Amino acid sequence: MTGPTHIDAAMFFQSSPRDAAVCDLAVAEDGSLRVPDAVTNPASSCPDASSWKAFFSAIQSEFWKKWSIDEHTWPAKPLALCGAQGADPKACCDPDSLTNPGYDNANPGIYCPFYRGDHPDFKVTLVSARGAFRPGHGTFINLADPGRVLRQETAEIVYRNRPLFEYFFANDLYSQDGLARAFSRAQDTAQKAAPHHRIGDTIHVPIGSVAVKTDWVHKDAMLRMGLISETDPSGKPLDPPQNVDAPYITMNLTSDVADDDPERFKPGLHYLISMTVSTKDLPQWLWFAVEHVNNPGRCDYIGCNDSFGYRSAGSEKGTYRNFVEPHQIPDNLDHGFTVFETGKPYKGGEVSPSLAAIYDRLGMVDSVDADPGTPSVTDRAWRSYRLKGSQTQFVTTEGYRTLLGNSVTEGGFVNSSSCITCHSQASVASDGKPAIPNRGFAVELNMLGYPRSTLGAPELGWFHVPGSNTYRGVQADFTWGIILAQPELKPDEVPADLKYRSR
């Protein structure tokens, strides 16, 4: 068969360049990353370049060490906000205090939100209970969707920067009770102030808020899957094991092993395989996914799209080189079709001159990681990661429902994944619990039998009773971290020795 296949035709809508021709990114004299002056709205006009900017900014901020993690933003045993009705002044959470109850415990965020950047000398052991280390995968999923297999191995940690953390803390949105009160305020506004909106009665995080979702895999699983090696090509031992050609960012943490394992949590060195980042540069946020270049099946099903960082091979002279199409293979049937060839590696592409200059100016050149147990700003391993794609709209101007999915985080349903649609459903009901429990999934299944995710524009009925302005769920500004919110401790549940420490 000659010419484009039906898969190529379908990918035509997915492959459109995201950035305008004028878009660029460079390191200014003061060390900041700048776009050209002609670009007045970078996140909208240059989402790919803006994604790389946010990627580097998060690294320079040392997000893994200084930002809050979700388990510290939504405490497991939250106390009431100080000053709130009924709050015990001796056992409450004060956004202006650095010494809230429990801050000096092994788990400092158990009672009150805790921002790690305020406690640089405090050593926090990161524990992810949302991972799984389960040896042995004998199903066809290994080939059909290796990202799904990796997904089962990952320890997920979500980091949130200071503006985002402080908003949820100061506005009493870190517990189910606080979220229920937010629902009540919004409902009261809809019923009593219509057609007007009261200031502060809905959830709107500040511009500059950033969330970074990271996926880490334990060293043992990485070795078993052949993603790293204990020796270099010459046979010289590597300590720790690594991929010499495309090294991984590494970090020590403790992750969930398996529900039936007596030693459920497994400490050790973990390897960063993917990230999903959102920045509040637009009302509906800027979304982008980043993956390690060697992730098997990285561009399967929906391709990879990067207008700024890395150039693909292209298909013919005069075409854009922003898109890496999914691998294809003939089905070899009598009335044959071309189908996806999954689970194969993808080339890393040719780095753009602008991105290469940024790597060098930011000093990402260190070939030896002095401390593999924690990431480093200057580690050359950051060069091993690729932009999977960016997303700023639910639907294109032509009506195409946009797609964005990390092959690991969305493993099993990446072909219907839309970060922006899924997170639009993040909302709270009157009891402070999620108003849409299925969290972005539809009732339909895909060809593999996994649930499809929702995509396209939100539906008014998700949030309001049809035919009225009565709330079913109040949007949490695209923040699914609310699913971790717990009920406030009742007075008789507060430990007797837990005393409030003033600043």
Side-chain angles (χ1 to χ4, degrees), residues 312-341:
S312 66
S315 59
E316 62 178 62
K317 186 177 180 179
T319 59
Y320 288 100
R321 296 177 58 190
N322 61 295
F323 190 70
V324 179
E325 60 266 30
H327 293 317
Q328 304 174 37
I329 191 172
D331 64 8
N332 291 327
L333 299 177
D334 289 341
H335 300 284
F337 264 78
T338 300
V339 295
F340 292 121
E341 183 182 23

Side-chain angles (χ1 to χ4, degrees), residues 101 107 123 162 195 227-228 254 270 300 328 347 386 426 479:
N107 180 1
K123 302 299 181 184
R162 187 181 292 277
L227 297 176
I228 56 174
T254 299
H270 287 65
D300 284 356
Q328 304 174 37
K347 294 180 179 179
R386 300 291 184 270
T479 303

Side-chain angles (χ1 to χ4, degrees), residues 219 222-223 228-231 237-244 248 250 269 271:
K219 178 184 69 176
M222 294 288 288
L223 284 167
I228 56 174
S229 174
E230 294 182 297
T231 60
L238 295 174
D239 185 21
Q242 255 298 0
N243 182 304
V244 175
Y248 290 81
T250 56
L269 194 67
Y271 295 70

